[in-house]
Amino acid sequence: MRLCCSVRALFETIDFHRSPRYNKTMKVYLDYAATAPLDGEILDKMLPYLKANFGNSDSLHSFGRETAYAVSEARERVAGALGVRAKEVYFTAGGTEADNWAVRVLGEGSVLTSPVEHRAVLDTVRAARKHTVCAVGRDGLVSAQNVADALAPDTGLVCVMAVNNETGSIQPLEEISALCRERGALLFSDCVQAGGALDMKRIAKSCDAFSLSAHKIYGPKGVGALVVKSGVKLRPMVLGGEQERGLRGGTTNVAGVVGFSYALEKAQAEREENQRKIKKVRDFFEERILSALQDGVRVDGLNRVANISHITLKEGNGALLNKLDLYGVACSGGAACSAHSPLPSHVMLAMGRTEEEARRGLRFSFGRETTEEEAAFAADVLIKCVRE
């Protein structure tokens, strides 16, 4: 009853005839950290394997050999973009599966994780392994000292993401990696938000294992990868087939892995240019909001990737998210995977925010197509909604 009343009250406060969405003047998507549209060039690469070349890549006849070759080429393409060996690349159904796989089976003993990890890591650690959690600064960064202070004698695996999916903060993986090697622990990193933002060859040198997802980098949904360095023992995740060298059963998503491989290659090749363009738009967006709302807004995180802007407001974000959407601006209150949870952001809580503050955050994430005009429109709509 309370929910119905609040929704009715929200609709009554909006003049739909003045709503930009109602007038169809503009509709702005600022949730690229949740997913990006499929690149047209990538779709073209995938189409042959959705239509004519449809064979099961594990079949021994010519149809199967043709798609098996495409999968092999895709694995080489991914390895080349990451600077790793093809045999170190395992295709999965996405970043969440890759995170689950790594956390469940890598390393011996207990797991140490940061408190700002994606739920795919945190929930799996809590369900499957003995674990400890290190501290994180108010800036959202996990330092090597934070990790050192929390390492237990039996820690065999350390989990620290490359880029936080809510704040965009880039974690110091090189320093943490050096510490892990000194202490004899493996380092796993969720790199789902890093595939188009950071130099993945550099990241790969620091990690014993890391995960990626295609749909964050303009590739198809439902496909990703777990990269595990040679010499690191990897046990099966999905039984019932010989796919992925007997470690992940199930018919290979040929079109998906082909699309993923081209999307990753393109994302890395165009990374610096895209990040420069996106940062300019994001900074313009933030400056417009900060100058208008002044002490009523805070940008969260430090040392961020260009495409994520997490903003904490004085007002709660529940009704505000709906209102922004009605005015034509799509953003989120944090991770899309936790969008339906009534709980405050675990990332903000870990950064020392109160529960009330942790409920007042909005995540705006930008793509390579986002224009300054769209950023200005979104900023002005947010300012209008907050003032109302």
Side-chain angles (χ1 to χ4, degrees):
M1 183 66 179
R2 182 179 300 172
L3 177 62
C4 293
C5 292
S6 65
V7 171
R8 187 181 304 115
L10 169 65
F11 274 73
E12 289 172 354
T13 64
I14 297 174
D15 183 348
F16 284 96
H17 293 279
R18 290 190 174 184
S19 164
R21 181 171 176 180
Y22 179 86
N23 292 320
K24 298 181 180 179
T25 57
M26 186 173 287
K27 189 175 180 182
V28 179
Y29 181 79
L30 294 181
D31 203 15
Y32 284 86
T35 194
L38 180 60
D39 184 298
E41 292 180 5
I42 306 305
L43 175 60
D44 289 342
K45 299 288 189 182
M46 296 170 60
L47 282 175
Y49 302 99
L50 291 169
K51 298 172 72 177
N53 304 338
F54 58 85
N56 187 320
S57 58
D58 285 284
S59 296
L60 298 180
H61 46 60
S62 61
F63 291 87
R65 291 196 301 272
E66 188 171 49
T67 51
Y69 182 70
V71 172
S72 178
E73 280 194 317
R75 203 182 307 275
E76 292 283 356
R77 196 172 296 113
V78 169
L82 300 174
V84 301
R85 301 174 182 176
K87 67 178 183 179
E88 297 172 333
V89 177
Y90 299 86
F91 291 121
T92 68
T96 294
E97 182 190 308
D99 286 348
N100 269 256
W101 192 358
V103 170
R104 288 178 182 276
V105 308
L106 291 180
E108 303 295 335
S110 67
V111 177
L112 169 63
T113 183
S114 90
V116 295
E117 299 298 300
H118 191 278
R119 287 291 182 189
V121 170
L122 291 177
D123 290 352
T124 306
V125 166
R126 290 167 183 159
R129 303 282 292 267
K130 176 185 174 185
H131 66 279
T132 53
V133 180
C134 70
V136 64
R138 288 187 65 84
D139 54 11
L141 297 179
V142 181
S143 68
Q145 189 60 53
N146 291 145
V147 174
D149 292 342
L151 279 170
D154 69 337
T155 300
L157 179 67
V158 173
C159 300
V160 178
M161 67 198 325
V163 174
N164 185 265
N165 54 300
E166 291 192 30
T167 65
S169 295
I170 304 169
Q171 303 296 356
L173 290 183
E174 291 180 351
E175 297 173 19
I176 295 170
S177 174
L179 174 67
C180 289
R181 286 168 183 168
E182 179 185 322
R183 300 292 185 90
L186 299 176
L187 174 61
F188 166 72
S189 185
D190 175 339
C191 292
V192 166
Q193 294 292 343
L198 301 182
D199 180 352
M200 287 307 303
K201 289 183 178 178
R202 185 172 180 177
I203 295 291
K205 291 178 181 177
S206 298
C207 302
D208 296 291
F210 57 94
S211 60
L212 289 165
S213 181
H215 73 104
K216 309 292 189 180
I217 51 174
Y218 300 87
K221 294 178 178 67
V223 62
L226 175 64
V227 178
V228 181
K229 295 292 189 61
S230 297
V232 176
K233 183 179 180 182
L234 181 64
R235 297 189 294 277
M237 175 63 174
V238 179
L239 301 175
E242 294 302 312
Q243 292 84 2
E244 298 304 301
R245 282 142 285 173
L247 296 175
R248 197 258 181 197
T251 303
T252 301
N253 177 3
V254 178
V257 302
V258 168
F260 172 42
S261 68
Y262 281 109
L264 180 62
E265 184 177 64
K266 184 173 182 177
Q268 284 294 293
E270 300 177 355
R271 176 182 60 84
E272 292 183 355
E273 179 184 351
N274 288 337
Q275 289 293 290
R276 278 195 298 270
K277 176 187 172 185
I278 293 169
K279 185 178 187 301
K280 182 180 178 182
V281 175
R282 185 203 66 185
D283 290 350
F284 168 79
F285 171 82
E286 291 180 348
E287 288 164 9
R288 197 175 182 97
I289 292 170
L290 290 169
S291 63
L293 300 179
Q294 298 178 358
D295 63 344
V297 62
R298 179 184 67 231
V299 177
D300 299 297
L302 190 66
N303 189 33
R304 297 175 294 155
V305 292
N307 62 299
I308 294 179
S309 175
H310 189 280
I311 292 176
T312 297
L313 302 163
K314 281 188 175 181
E315 301 294 333
N317 77 337
L320 187 57
L321 272 174
N322 293 331
K323 197 168 185 181
L324 287 168
D325 185 40
L326 289 169
Y327 273 82
V329 177
C331 63
S332 70
C337 296
S338 302
H340 298 284
S341 172
L343 299 175
S345 164
H346 71 280
V347 173
M348 292 294 110
L349 291 176
M351 291 168 60
R353 310 295 192 255
T354 65
E355 283 200 15
E356 183 191 3
E357 286 179 304
R359 295 179 189 275
R360 298 202 310 254
L362 293 173
R363 183 188 69 182
F364 298 88
S365 47
F366 303 78
R368 64 194 188 201
E369 299 92 353
T370 309
T371 65
E372 201 164 277
E373 180 188 11
E374 290 175 322
F377 174 83
D380 291 345
V381 167
L382 176 63
I383 293 163
K384 175 182 173 65
C385 289
V386 169
R387 286 175 173 170
E388 286 179 353

